Amino acid sequence: MDAATLGAVGTIVVGLAAAIAALIGQRGANRASQSGAVLGGYSTLVDNLQEERNKLGEKLAENERLLAAAYRELADARTEKAELLSQIGGLRDENRRLRDQLAELGGQPT
């Protein structure tokens, strides 16, 4: 083999080695890129979950506040109802007493 042939074969071998090294390097870059994408996706997922958890916590606090207000309103309504029932009882007693007095005076109770 002469020097020109050896030079051509050497160039071809070096070219093939460079191509193989480029392929291997590209695969490593793809793996690193995919790994980064997975970690980035995981981070985004965690952020979204934390945001959702915060929203649910705020909604729960608002519902607790509304529930407490509803219980207060119910307690007030019960107190008001008891007062009205007491007033009704008093008025019935007074009506009965007035009818009795009217009957004693010779009137016709209505």
Side-chain angles (χ1 to χ4, degrees):
M1 275 206 215
D2 61 353
T5 305
L6 285 176
V9 170
T11 303
I12 292 173
V13 170
V14 169
L16 287 174
I20 291 171
L23 281 175
I24 292 172
Q26 183 63 32
R27 285 185 182 173
N30 284 343
R31 284 188 191 130
S33 170
Q34 288 173 352
S35 175
V38 168
L39 290 177
Y42 178 75
S43 177
T44 302
L45 178 62
V46 169
D47 290 344
N48 289 343
L49 289 173
Q50 288 175 342
E51 185 177 326
E52 185 69 21
R53 184 183 62 207
N54 291 341
K55 286 179 183 178
L56 290 175
E58 291 170 5
K59 179 66 175 165
L60 178 61
E62 177 64 15
N63 283 354
E64 291 289 342
R65 186 189 66 76
L66 292 173
L67 183 61
Y71 276 127
R72 278 193 306 275
E73 188 176 333
L74 180 61
D76 292 345
R78 285 180 178 165
T79 301
E80 187 177 317
K81 180 181 177 182
E83 291 170 357
L84 288 173
L85 288 173
S86 175
Q87 184 180 3
I88 288 170
L91 289 171
R92 283 183 177 168
D93 291 344
E94 185 177 358
N95 283 350
R96 192 174 307 113
R97 187 183 54 79
L98 291 173
R99 283 191 183 102
D100 291 345
Q101 283 180 346
L102 189 58
E104 287 175 10
L105 294 174
Q108 247 345 14
T110 59

